[in-house]
Amino acid sequence: MNQASEKALVVLSGGQDSTTCLYWALRRFGAGNVEAVTFDYGQRHRVELDCARKIAQLAGMRQTVLPIDTFAAIGGNALTDDAIAPEEGVRDDDALPNTFVPGRNLIFLTFAAAFAYTRGARHLVTGVAQTDYSGYPDCRENTLKALELALRLGMDSRVELHTPLMYLSKAETVTLAQQVGAMEALAWSHTCYNGEVPPCGHCVSCELRAKGFAEAGVADPLVERCQAEAERL
């Protein structure tokens, strides 16, 4: 079947990875066949919701924001609990960082699959990566394959999960962003766990983003935009 004629739904957080995947999907399925879904789950870095809206507008596509307040009610992690500060620096042990939100991607993709079902879209695109520093268990390929099977059985559908970044390094993700034309949109993306603009530069997410662009030998469009705006003030 020609996927260019099929509909796809992208889980768009407003971050670097999901923005890259959005433009990957546009190339794969065609602009008229792609839309985005964003989840408001009480995240600390709520600025990413505004970023997701801006990026969807730049891409010229429909975006829907779905609220999920259960994670904030559960708490216990640095992304949804104001009493817990995000860790700095990459861990040197096997423990999960305090930014791990248990079950987040499983819940997101289940809701996304249900939403896609109503939209007549069988392709789901997400920016999870097994090579990410954290080793989040809900970002691993075996987890996503198991979830894909469960969704197919549970909804009697042919839903297909696409993970373009699964085995890419951050530098390789930057290269892919260049190839699919996502660089302009990345100027409006947000990665900082502390929710700061310009990026704080010292949380793990900021460090990894900076490292990826440095290794790719490419200037970060977000940093360039923030610097240009500061110079105009």
Side-chain angles (χ1 to χ4, degrees), residues 64-206:
T64 301
V65 179
L66 298 180
I68 304 177
D69 60 4
T70 308
F71 288 121
I74 293 173
N77 65 84
L79 293 193
T80 63
D81 192 331
D82 291 336
I84 303 174
E87 297 174 358
E88 295 186 8
V90 178
R91 297 185 67 111
D92 57 4
D93 56 27
D94 293 330
L96 290 170
N98 67 4
T99 52
F100 175 59
V101 183
R104 179 178 58 169
N105 287 324
L106 301 178
I107 298 299
F108 282 0
L109 289 169
T110 300
F111 273 112
F115 182 68
Y117 187 94
T118 69
R119 307 294 298 165
R122 78 174 188 90
H123 297 281
L124 293 181
V125 183
T126 177
V128 301
Q130 186 162 314
T131 52
D132 204 350
Y133 81 97
S134 58
Y136 289 166
D138 59 354
C139 288
R140 298 172 184 164
E141 185 177 37
N142 58 1
T143 301
L144 274 292
K145 289 297 183 183
L147 179 61
E148 180 183 70
L149 177 59
L151 293 172
R152 287 180 174 182
L153 294 173
M155 297 195 301
D156 194 18
S157 73
R158 296 184 301 115
V159 63
E160 184 174 345
L161 299 184
H162 297 269
T163 55
L165 312 184
M166 180 57 73
Y167 289 107
L168 300 187
S169 67
K170 286 298 183 184
E172 290 169 333
T173 298
V174 171
T175 300
L176 177 61
Q178 291 180 305
Q179 293 172 347
V180 298
M183 297 302 284
E184 178 184 0
L186 285 180
W188 299 95
S189 63
H190 181 83
T191 302
C192 177
Y193 279 153
N194 287 307
E196 297 182 13
V197 181
C200 75
H202 54 76
C203 73
V204 174
S205 189
C206 281

Side-chain angles (χ1 to χ4, degrees), residues 42-62:
Q43 56 266 55
R44 174 191 298 268
H45 48 314
R46 296 187 63 75
V47 64
E48 73 173 8
L49 296 172
D50 294 328
C51 294
R53 292 188 185 94
K54 175 67 175 180
I55 291 164
Q57 290 173 357
L58 285 173
M61 70 173 45
R62 176 174 180 172

Side-chain angles (χ1 to χ4, degrees), residues 16-17 19-27 165 168-187 189 209 212-222 224:
Q16 175 186 358
D17 293 342
T19 299
T20 300
C21 286
L22 177 67
Y23 280 79
W24 175 90
L26 289 172
R27 290 288 183 94
L165 312 184
L168 300 187
S169 67
K170 286 298 183 184
E172 290 169 333
T173 298
V174 171
T175 300
L176 177 61
Q178 291 180 305
Q179 293 172 347
V180 298
M183 297 302 284
E184 178 184 0
L186 285 180
S189 63
R209 176 168 176 153
F213 275 97
E215 290 179 350
V218 178
D220 187 339
L222 170 60
E224 289 189 323

